[in-house]
Amino acid sequence: MSNTRTLSSLLTDPHGPYGKLIERSRLYHNLHTQLESFLGRDIASHCRIQNLREGILLLQADAPSWAARLRFALPRLLEQLRTTPELGRLHEIRVRVVPTEPPRPAKSRRAKLSSAAAAILDNAAAGTPDPQLRDALRRLALRGKR
């Protein structure tokens, strides 16, 4: 006897690992379609299904502002999703913020100092009796000479 199976039989077997994966993929696809119809495309485009397990649907939003809008719609969404046969046992929806792009580091903004302003600061430093203030003014004046 041969233990070989056709690819289609592996993929369509509802009890096999590939069949289960395909069924879960179909469920997530249908769920995403429902999210678009219930929430509208603007919110749904910023929302992803992260997991569905033990009656808890975990959604991720790509920014805190979209997560807030999503949380506002959760009671109505939960009620609507429960009408779907596969989601009859759904009892909770959680939202997480997962940015799609990492935040960009802030660029260092150094003020540019003209040579005329540097000369004024240098003159002010020369006429200042306080040694700490004089040194600070001279350091600042050096920025205009670079």
Side-chain angles (χ1 to χ4, degrees):
M1 279 217 284
S2 174
N3 285 338
T4 60
R5 293 175 61 187
T6 64
L7 181 59
S8 64
S9 69
L10 285 171
L11 296 177
T12 56
D13 179 9
H15 303 293
Y18 304 114
K20 289 178 183 177
L21 181 64
I22 289 173
E23 282 305 309
R24 189 139 183 105
S25 176
R26 281 190 187 126
L27 175 65
Y28 279 26
H29 176 74
N30 292 339
L31 185 54
H32 184 73
T33 303
Q34 288 177 324
L35 287 175
E36 278 185 347
S37 70
F38 294 152
L39 296 172
R41 227 173 233 209
D42 58 337
I43 296 176
S45 66
H46 295 277
C47 170
R48 302 282 177 268
I49 300 164
Q50 202 170 40
N51 201 357
L52 174 62
R53 188 176 7 184
E54 298 173 5
I56 300 172
L57 174 62
L58 185 57
L59 301 175
Q60 69 181 39
D62 57 16
S65 58
W66 290 109
R69 289 182 69 181
L70 188 56
R71 284 185 186 106
F72 182 74
L74 286 185
R76 182 177 54 95
L77 179 63
L78 180 61
E79 187 177 304
Q80 289 172 326
L81 288 176
R82 281 184 181 158
T83 62
T84 306
E86 304 94 25
L87 301 173
R89 296 185 327 188
L90 184 66
H91 61 84
E92 185 180 356
I93 302 174
R94 296 179 187 166
V95 178
R96 282 190 186 154
V97 177
V98 180
T100 54
E101 293 180 12
R104 296 180 185 166
K107 291 183 179 177
S108 173
R109 293 208 225 153
R110 246 190 188 178
K112 294 186 179 185
L113 193 62
S114 69
S115 57
I120 292 170
L121 287 171
D122 211 20
N123 286 337
T128 302
D130 184 332
Q132 288 180 329
L133 181 56
R134 181 176 42 242
D135 291 343
L137 288 170
R138 285 194 175 137
R139 280 193 309 271
L140 190 57
L142 286 174
R143 290 188 182 178
K145 295 179 182 179
R146 291 182 190 170

